[in-house]
Amino acid sequence: MSDASELPKKEEKEEEVTPEPEEQSDDSSGEEAAGETEMDFLRNLFSSTLGLGSADKVLDELTLDAVARYIKSGKCKNIICMVGAGISTSAGIPDFRSPGTGLYANLRKYDLPYPEAIFQIDYFKKHPEPFFALAKELYPGQFKPTICHYFMKLLKDKGHLRRCYTQNIDTLERVAGLEGEDLIEAHGTFYTSHCVSFCCRKEYNLDWMKDKIFSDDIPRCDKCNSLVKPDIVFFGENLPVRFFTSMKMDFPCCDLLIVMGTSLQVQPFAGLVGRVSKSCPRLLINMEKAGQADPLFGLLGFGGGMDFDSDKAYRDVAHISTCDEGCLALAELLGWKEELEELVKQEHARIDSQDRKEKASGSKGAAAKASSASVAPEPEKEE
């Protein structure tokens, strides 16, 4: 399951990650993260091949009810959510690959050489117009967070959430109330933008980029006149260094992994499910099972080998439903359903009210501007 808030499959290799040019202090961090990633790969390979490591059973059964009982036990203080496309589709954001309705099926009007070119950095630098036309259709601020987004906010408010790792670029996690410290935006974000020139790299904020996109101007740097691109990860670009450094701290501490709305096919994001301890329960809420063990990938340590159905299954739970339905079901088992529904209602009302005020303010400003322009200046008196 994937949608327009989740970028297409990346081809980055972990060892190739380098920091942003302007953040020279991150050079050593990037190299260290890459080196440690290689060591983790070898550990996973030997561990899975030789059957090393303990595998304590934490859940009394592999059901959503058991996950809820585990959360209510008070033992879950470091829940990590891994989320992708599916958590935003109910907000109205189209998916990528659904026949007829997916984003790629509706890109013909942009006259691309191939659909993925719209997210290809080399193509963007030569032909930025298609991307910014698409960005206008999908720009953050036109959609409201879903039940799933607010469920993660509840996890935070109740002291259970350690971090949310998201593949999405729609910023709806932030709109729902998660802050920068709560988030690892693995595929980048529209929240900030930078000049593409390595000699400049001037930063611009969300409002600046929004003004450019909605006035149909190709955003260019006011310092060097190079293109300015939202900080989302295109084909041919590296994932943020923070993705690699944070996962080293977060996943060993995780006591429950909740995976929602992702096909677990995009590396290195998909490989995160294998970084929790062998006793850590993993819950998948998705329209289909994902991330299941592949014989070859399992041997190489990729993907984490989710096991829902075999005789050896002991910690992986698959709840097949939409992300919103799954979060509501879990919230009900936790006794949070009414609180979640009220939170969604209040926040959506607040967002609608804010939108009305902004539109009214914009209309007044436009009317005042038109009125002043229509008034002819008084001729100067001759002395």
Side-chain angles (χ1 to χ4, degrees):
M1 184 186 299
S2 62
D3 77 325
S5 65
E6 174 186 339
L7 283 185
K9 187 175 291 186
K10 309 294 180 295
E11 298 177 355
E12 293 79 23
K13 296 181 181 178
E14 295 182 16
E15 63 270 23
E16 295 176 352
V17 174
T18 56
E20 294 282 359
E22 74 275 19
E23 297 176 350
Q24 298 297 327
S25 61
D26 281 345
D27 285 343
S28 59
S29 298
E31 294 173 359
E32 181 180 351
E36 292 179 352
T37 298
E38 293 175 357
M39 289 302 298
D40 283 343
F41 171 83
L42 293 175
R43 293 190 189 103
N44 286 339
L45 176 60
F46 285 119
S47 177
S48 58
T49 303
L50 301 177
L52 303 177
S54 60
D56 298 329
K57 186 174 181 179
V58 174
L59 301 178
D60 51 31
E61 60 181 2
L62 299 182
T63 64
L64 196 66
D65 299 74
V67 173
R69 289 194 294 271
Y70 176 50
I71 295 175
K72 290 195 291 185
S73 72
K75 297 177 181 179
C76 283
K77 298 297 182 183
N78 288 287
I79 295 176
I80 292 178
C81 292
M82 287 176 57
V83 301
I87 73 167
S88 294
T89 51
S90 65
I93 300 175
D95 66 25
F96 268 112
R97 298 176 179 87
S98 291
T101 61
L103 177 64
Y104 284 160
N106 291 281
L107 292 178
R108 295 174 185 172
K109 58 187 175 182
Y110 299 122
D111 194 27
L112 300 167
Y114 49 92
E116 294 84 355
I118 202 164
F119 294 117
Q120 170 63 251
I121 187 62
D122 291 334
Y123 185 85
F124 169 80
K125 288 179 178 179
K126 296 177 181 177
H127 308 285
E129 296 83 6
F131 170 77
F132 286 115
L134 176 64
K136 187 175 182 179
E137 296 182 34
L138 303 176
Y139 203 77
Q142 303 180 82
F143 306 97
K144 292 194 284 281
T146 66
I147 291 171
C148 184
H149 289 97
Y150 289 113
F151 177 76
M152 292 190 291
K153 177 62 164 58
L154 272 188
L155 286 177
K156 174 190 174 179
D157 292 345
K158 293 179 180 295
H160 294 293
L161 183 70
R162 180 179 180 89
R163 205 90 65 197
C164 169
Y165 283 69
T166 178
Q167 293 173 285
N168 299 340
I169 59 172
D170 52 33
T171 73
L172 290 181
E173 296 91 356
R174 292 177 182 264
V175 178
L178 297 186
E179 299 176 358
E181 181 61 26
D182 305 316
L183 287 167
I184 301 296
E185 292 160 317
H187 294 171
T189 178
F190 269 100
Y191 198 69
T192 55
S193 301
H194 281 85
C195 172
V196 299
S197 171
F198 287 109
C199 299
C200 180
R201 299 295 291 160
K202 182 176 179 179
E203 181 174 316
Y204 295 86
N205 62 27
L206 185 68
D207 290 335
W208 183 91
M209 179 59 72
K210 182 178 180 180
D211 288 343
K212 294 293 184 181
I213 288 177
F214 281 86
S215 61
D216 295 322
D217 291 335
I218 299 300
R220 291 194 173 275
C221 180
D222 55 24
K223 182 178 179 181
C224 71
N225 203 42
S226 296
L227 288 170
V228 177
K229 183 183 78 67
D231 291 341
I232 60 177
V233 181
F234 277 23
F235 289 131
E237 293 187 305
N238 296 316
L239 270 64
V241 169
R242 186 167 176 256
F243 169 84
F244 294 100
T245 55
S246 296
M247 72 182 184
K248 303 294 297 182
M249 299 181 292
D250 290 339
F251 282 81
C253 302
C254 179
D255 44 35
L256 174 63
L257 181 66
I258 302 179
V259 183
M260 297 184 283
T262 173
S263 61
L264 290 178
Q265 294 179 354
V266 179
Q267 294 290 356
F269 187 88
L272 295 178
V273 299
R275 291 185 169 273
V276 296
S277 70
K278 289 193 173 184
S279 59
C280 177
R282 301 182 294 192
L283 168 65
L284 174 72
I285 300 177
N286 205 36
M287 290 296 289
E288 58 187 8
K289 292 178 181 177
Q292 291 171 279
D294 178 278
L296 177 59
F297 283 178
L299 178 63
L300 295 177
F302 290 126
M306 302 279 273
D307 183 2
F308 304 112
D309 304 310
S310 82
D311 294 337
K312 297 181 180 180
Y314 68 97
R315 61 163 173 169
D316 296 329
V317 178
H319 185 81
I320 306 303
S321 72
T322 67
C323 295
D324 288 348
E325 290 170 348
C327 287
L328 275 176
L330 182 54
E332 184 171 21
L333 292 170
L334 291 167
W336 303 351
K337 185 178 180 182
E338 291 185 5
E339 184 178 359
L340 176 58
E341 290 176 329
E342 184 61 25
L343 176 62
V344 173
K345 181 180 178 180
Q346 290 179 355
E347 285 298 299
H348 281 189
R350 180 187 63 79
I351 292 171
D352 289 338
S353 176
Q354 182 176 337
D355 287 345
R356 286 193 295 270
K357 290 179 181 178
E358 290 179 356
K359 289 178 180 178
S361 176
S363 297
K364 290 180 180 179
K369 185 176 181 179
S371 176
S372 62
S374 64
V375 176
E378 293 185 5
E380 295 183 2
K381 297 179 180 180
E382 296 182 1
E383 294 184 0

